[in-house]
Amino acid sequence: MMTSRQTYALHDFIPQEAACKWRAHNSEVTSTRFTSTGILATGGFDKLINIWNFVADQARLQSTLRGSNGGITSIDIDPEEQLLSASSNDCAARIWHLTTQRLKLTLTGHGGKVLSARFLGSSYRLATGSQDRTVKVWDIRSGACLQTFMAGSSCNDVIAADGVIVSGHFDKKIRVWDARCGRNVINEISVGGRVTSLDVPLDVTTSLVCCTKDHSLEIVDLRKSQVRHVFSDDNFKVATDQTRCSFSPNGKYVAVGSTDGSVLSWDVETQKRVSCEQIHTEPVISSNWKSGRLVTGDKNKTCVIWTSSSMTS
């Protein structure tokens, strides 16, 4: 049984069954994010962020965060779990207080859709990536843009990893930036297709997974700047330019959704596909595993929280 009052253990499992499935938005579900206590935030192209809790394996809408003038493209929660960030199609990113549900800050300055917004290891700094081919770093306290990195290609995702900022781009490159020492890229890593998303395990920030439009997941060693493994499958077709993949909390598995509604996962060490389950009925475009539970969202307004058969037996 899921409740919103317990802290969830960060364990890895093979996703095989639905613990909960429900209509989460009035449009496609583009982003999801759990807190450590089991509260779930979901973002959609309906311009809303919905906050959910769970009682007896049933999702209950707790509140809705409003204020975006465009569809939500990504959401994140700060390390203190007090603030929620969201990027959107109206060329802005926004910050809300989770406790009061009030809009705290609107960050403007990008010249195109903002496709990703991530906290950089603290509640005070945020990175955004945009279709305008830039990555920006913001001070959340003042709302000021601290730095702008000229990437030269549309940025679909941005994350913090191993003390640096990593961005994934339309030109089939992953770029690594050091916000502490200048404006130039410090490394570029070529991958097999246009990058739709990036993710890292919770405690192992030298290994990264990226989803690409050549219908594959690639495991990248950031310290060696090279691709270690490539995962593909006949059942895996990337649905959108922002399809989100995810690492399990301890880095044992990676998961992603496909155009046919399947959710697939691979064992990173053995490089074998360990599951392919079709509980969604429409293309799956979002995936997040940060809290110890995998949640996926699709183009038909639906979210699924996953469990393994051993956890329900």
Side-chain angles (χ1 to χ4, degrees), residues 134-296:
T134 68
V135 174
K136 293 181 180 288
V137 179
W138 307 83
D139 185 326
I140 299 305
R141 291 165 293 191
S142 65
C145 179
L146 301 177
Q147 287 179 299
T148 298
F149 299 107
M150 309 303 294
S153 177
S154 177
C155 177
N156 283 332
D157 206 359
V158 60
I159 60 170
D162 200 26
V164 296
I165 301 169
V166 185
S167 53
H169 296 271
F170 187 86
D171 64 355
K172 306 181 184 181
K173 292 185 184 295
I174 295 171
R175 291 178 170 86
V176 183
W177 315 86
D178 191 340
R180 299 166 296 183
C181 62
R183 295 176 178 268
N184 296 324
V185 62
I186 61 175
N187 203 2
E188 289 186 345
I189 305 166
S190 295
V191 294
R194 303 196 302 268
V195 179
T196 72
S197 62
L198 307 168
D199 198 28
V200 291
L202 287 177
D203 297 321
V204 186
T205 55
T206 57
S207 184
L208 172 148
V209 62
C210 73
C211 179
T212 70
K213 280 289 282 183
D214 69 343
H215 311 298
S216 68
L217 296 186
E218 301 192 24
I219 306 297
V220 177
D221 187 320
L222 289 174
R223 290 189 174 174
K224 295 182 179 180
S225 300
Q226 64 184 27
V227 176
R228 290 172 45 211
H229 308 304
V230 178
F231 301 142
S232 61
D233 191 270
D234 290 342
N235 294 307
F236 176 38
K237 302 298 179 184
V238 176
T240 73
D241 284 343
Q242 285 81 49
T243 292
R244 304 302 188 187
C245 61
S246 58
F247 246 120
S248 63
N250 298 318
K252 182 173 177 58
Y253 304 112
V254 288
V256 70
S258 182
T259 55
D260 66 354
S262 298
V263 172
L264 300 92
S265 62
W266 287 264
D267 186 305
V268 174
E269 184 175 349
T270 67
Q271 304 176 48
K272 293 182 178 180
R273 194 196 78 183
V274 292
S275 68
C276 178
E277 305 295 340
Q278 191 173 6
I279 293 176
H280 291 275
T281 59
E282 297 291 334
V284 178
I285 58 176
S286 60
S287 169
N288 190 282
W289 213 333
K290 290 300 183 192
S291 70
R293 289 178 297 162
L294 176 64
V295 56
T296 52

